[in-house]
Amino acid sequence: MNYKLILIIALTVLCQACVVGPQYTPLTQETKASVKQVELYNLVLQDEVKPAVRLSNVTGALGGGLIGVVIDSNVNKGRSNTAQDIIKPLYDITEDYDYRKVIAETYNRSVANELPIKSNKEIAETILFTNKELLKKIKSLKDGEALLYLSSFYLFLNESKLLTTETLAFLYTNNSNGKKPSSKAIPKPIFFNNFTYESKPTGNGNEDSIALWSKNNGELFRETLQEGLDFISKKLNYELQANLNEHCFIKVKSTFASQLNINTRLSGTLVEAKDGRNTIRSSRGFLISTERPYTIVKQKKSKDCE
Amino acid sequence: MKFLIIVASVILISANSVSAKTKEPKVDPGDPAVLVYVAPKKTKKKPKANALKKIKAERALLTEVSQSCSFSMDNITDQRQNKDTIGHKWSAPLRVSGVDAWINAIKKEAFIDKLVEPANNVTNIQLKPALTRLYSYAQNMNLHGISALKIDIFVDQKLAETRRYRGLGSRVNWVNGAGEYHAVVGASVRDNLASLIQDLPNICDTFK
């Protein structure tokens, strides 16, 4: 066995223990007031929707180890192949669909309502900034200028029953908390949040679901993606208003689908419940929209909320 | 936590030092890498039984098709929505150039060179292919390459039908090198053209 592979596997297993994602950073009125002009960098890395693949995780079940990794690699290769075959009718019918154009149109309009946009493009970007490039970009910002960096993903989950859209939003200035950025590290954004929109379940899974998403030239697929983007752009605006007052919102528990678990536990505050759709702010501050039911967590109300 | 990070760093450093001989040259992520097609090496060894069976079956299929139809294929045109990248490897974009020459070299080896001289008085079918997708991505320990071709089928110089084919190339992600990503997209194009070859009898039956 290749020595290098063993080292990479060891590193992968070790890193599973120390991965910490970015933390929610709300925008304050003060920092918002300091922003006079915003450059928008709207990134979409995918060229088309990712198919639903239930990833094998024998490695996790065995608590690590080379045998598990080899099994996972082979099983996942086969599953990816099958997933590609299942989703082909949808890919064929949506060949003309340009998600990058749709997202640019939606987000450009929406962000301009809250922040003074200096420049935007009619189509989303394809180039991921390296850390060095991002740092260079942030350092080139003048006083009063900010960079709104949006990165979006869309994928099928749970045997293609669910279509999920996710956007990460970072707002950077050259003067974070009164400090100029160091020469090496990317400064903390003045605003960060993660927005997820989970569609309602469609079909019985796999070929059945793909047939429904594909019907009428992919009508449901196109509409659902637009709904997801509309939701996220509204919630992004809500956050960018920098006027949040969720102190009295009720605490709830629910679930949503992620790549590793279709019933990922979700606990947080109920931000909105409208037309059978619930928007929950998770305990990490992220905004997640789902049609799944929630249960109310009993808690003592503070006096000002009664 | 700190201990884990230190251990991981030590392993990473040692991995870099042992791989010095095989290390890829440093490439500025801003510079697109030129895709160059390298044909599989021809060896004197006899192919394995399964591979031989596959080659014979493909040859028989093309010989049979040549009795009723003559196929010609134009160069593959590049109609991708994203012509900047073929994905990204971790935090660096995979920018490539030279896709036209690269894909047509694969087409020649995987399709044109395999066609059999047609018999007389057969239906002439012209294929006009366009590349609509070409990308790669990492998933767990694997790399996947995807390609999509849209093929306009012309019979007697009239557009008769458009068919779409997709190819998937997968391999284990050994060192996360750009060359590995290039290899999976290349494999996906070969897989794509193999699907087209398998479909030739059906195309021939439809239009002869």
Side-chain angles (χ1 to χ4, degrees):
Chain A
M1 180 57 74
N2 187 314
Y3 176 54
K4 199 163 192 178
L5 176 68
I6 297 168
L7 292 172
I8 290 169
I9 292 160
L11 189 64
T12 308
V13 173
L14 284 170
C15 282
Q16 283 174 353
C18 50
V19 168
V20 178
Q23 298 296 307
Y24 169 52
T25 312
L27 185 65
T28 62
Q29 284 289 354
E30 194 187 351
T31 46
K32 187 182 176 184
S34 70
V35 175
K36 306 293 177 209
Q37 255 188 346
V38 173
E39 188 175 333
L40 179 61
Y41 196 85
N42 187 3
L43 175 70
V44 178
L45 290 172
Q46 293 165 244
D47 287 354
E48 55 193 358
V49 65
K50 260 190 175 181
V53 180
R54 192 167 56 84
L55 293 174
S56 162
N57 191 21
V58 176
T59 316
L62 296 176
L66 190 58
I67 294 170
V69 172
V70 173
I71 293 170
D72 285 341
S73 172
N74 282 311
V75 172
N76 288 333
K77 204 187 276 186
R79 287 183 183 174
S80 292
N81 225 328
T82 310
Q84 287 290 334
D85 288 342
I86 291 171
I87 202 173
K88 187 179 180 295
L90 180 71
Y91 279 153
D92 286 352
I93 218 160
T94 53
E95 186 190 74
D96 63 312
Y97 183 73
D98 195 339
Y99 187 71
R100 289 191 178 94
K101 275 189 184 165
V102 177
I103 202 170
E105 200 183 309
T106 312
Y107 285 2
N108 285 351
R109 194 174 358 129
S110 157
V111 172
N113 288 337
E114 278 308 319
L115 294 170
I117 299 288
K118 176 186 164 191
S119 62
N120 58 34
K121 289 185 180 172
E122 286 177 4
I123 188 160
E125 309 283 350
T126 55
I127 306 287
L128 174 70
F129 280 144
T130 59
N131 283 354
K132 202 174 159 186
E133 286 167 333
L134 180 59
L135 187 60
K136 196 177 163 191
K137 188 90 187 161
I138 294 168
K139 282 174 128 183
S140 72
L141 296 169
K142 293 173 190 153
D143 281 348
E145 287 183 343
L147 170 70
L148 180 60
Y149 190 102
L150 304 175
S151 181
S152 304
F153 310 89
Y154 59 122
L155 67 160
F156 280 116
L157 290 170
N158 194 14
E159 298 172 343
S160 305
K161 289 178 205 164
L162 300 171
L163 180 56
T164 290
T165 308
E166 186 177 346
T167 295
L168 284 86
F170 302 82
L171 188 64
Y172 292 106
T173 59
N174 195 0
N175 195 7
S176 177
N177 300 324
K179 291 177 190 170
K180 289 280 174 192
S182 77
S183 58
K184 286 178 183 173
I186 292 167
K188 201 170 175 273
I190 57 169
F191 164 73
F192 167 74
N193 207 357
N194 181 323
F195 305 85
T196 302
Y197 177 91
E198 178 185 280
S199 75
K200 63 179 171 194
T202 297
N204 298 316
N206 296 325
E207 286 89 347
D208 182 60
S209 297
I210 291 297
L212 293 171
W213 290 115
S214 308
K215 213 174 164 185
N216 297 331
N217 199 30
E219 191 181 5
L220 181 63
F221 174 74
R222 293 167 202 252
E223 278 177 7
T224 306
L225 284 178
Q226 187 63 59
E227 272 171 27
L229 294 177
D230 287 341
F231 162 80
I232 292 175
S233 60
K234 269 183 201 163
K235 292 303 166 211
L236 178 61
N237 263 3
Y238 167 70
E239 295 274 309
L240 292 177
Q241 282 168 12
N243 193 22
L244 303 182
N245 186 6
E246 298 176 357
H247 173 58
C248 296
F249 289 4
I250 56 166
K251 297 251 185 282
V252 293
K253 276 186 178 177
S254 183
T255 56
F256 75 108
S258 68
Q259 280 205 70
L260 290 174
N261 185 355
I262 55 159
N263 289 312
T264 304
R265 284 182 193 171
L266 173 61
S267 59
T269 49
L270 183 67
V271 174
E272 189 181 68
K274 200 177 168 186
D275 303 329
R277 177 162 284 278
N278 309 313
T279 304
I280 297 168
R281 186 181 297 282
S282 75
S283 51
R284 292 181 69 191
F286 300 167
L287 284 175
I288 296 156
S289 171
T290 173
E291 294 204 352
R292 300 187 191 203
Y294 60 81
T295 52
I296 297 172
V297 178
K298 280 183 184 173
Q299 60 179 337
K300 277 187 180 175
K301 275 190 178 178
S302 60
K303 280 181 185 173
D304 53 332
C305 295
E306 280 171 1
Chain B
M1 177 75 87
K2 271 185 184 173
F3 173 70
L4 284 174
I5 292 168
I6 292 164
V7 173
S9 309
V10 170
I11 291 172
L12 187 63
I13 290 161
S14 55
N16 282 334
S17 61
V18 292
S19 65
K21 281 181 191 170
T22 55
K23 209 171 172 183
E24 290 187 4
K26 274 192 177 177
V27 177
D28 184 337
D31 294 336
V34 181
L35 277 179
V36 178
Y37 177 60
V38 182
K41 282 180 188 170
K42 283 180 182 171
T43 57
K44 287 179 182 174
K45 281 183 186 173
K46 265 192 170 182
K48 286 181 180 173
N50 275 349
L52 204 61
K53 210 173 157 184
K54 209 175 157 187
I55 293 167
K56 279 183 179 174
E58 197 175 76
R59 187 80 186 166
L61 183 147
L62 290 169
T63 308
E64 197 190 323
V65 166
S66 69
Q67 300 305 307
S68 315
C69 296
S70 155
F71 284 96
S72 64
M73 193 188 206
D74 291 7
N75 268 352
I76 301 173
T77 56
D78 189 355
Q79 291 183 12
R80 290 174 295 154
Q81 286 173 350
N82 170 17
K83 291 185 183 176
D84 300 329
T85 64
I86 56 159
H88 59 101
K89 61 178 191 105
W90 290 354
S91 63
L94 286 159
R95 301 179 211 226
V96 291
S97 64
V99 170
D100 279 337
W102 170 82
I103 198 164
N104 284 303
I106 301 178
K107 182 203 77 175
K108 187 177 176 303
E109 188 249 50
F111 188 83
I112 299 292
D113 289 353
K114 289 183 176 175
L115 291 179
V116 175
E117 191 67 32
N120 290 328
N121 301 321
V122 294
T123 310
N124 289 315
I125 297 176
Q126 190 187 8
L127 307 174
K128 292 192 175 183
L131 177 71
T132 54
R133 299 276 191 269
L134 185 71
Y135 62 90
S136 56
Y137 60 95
Q139 188 177 61
N140 277 21
M141 288 295 291
N142 295 324
L143 293 180
H144 301 296
I146 305 284
S147 64
L149 288 175
K150 183 180 86 174
I151 302 202
D152 289 335
I153 301 166
F154 283 77
V155 182
D156 297 331
Q157 295 183 328
K158 281 181 187 164
L159 178 63
E161 195 186 327
T162 298
R163 293 192 183 188
R164 289 171 173 82
Y165 300 86
R166 295 181 69 88
L168 172 70
S170 299
R171 61 182 283 173
V172 173
N173 186 358
W174 290 98
V175 289
N176 202 46
E180 291 179 289
Y181 287 85
H182 297 174
V184 288
V185 289
S188 78
V189 175
R190 281 195 298 280
D191 182 46
N192 211 322
L193 292 169
S195 306
L196 174 61
I197 287 178
Q198 291 300 317
D199 199 32
L200 291 183
N202 184 284
I203 297 175
C204 184
D205 284 347
T206 311
F207 300 109
K208 74 181 176 188

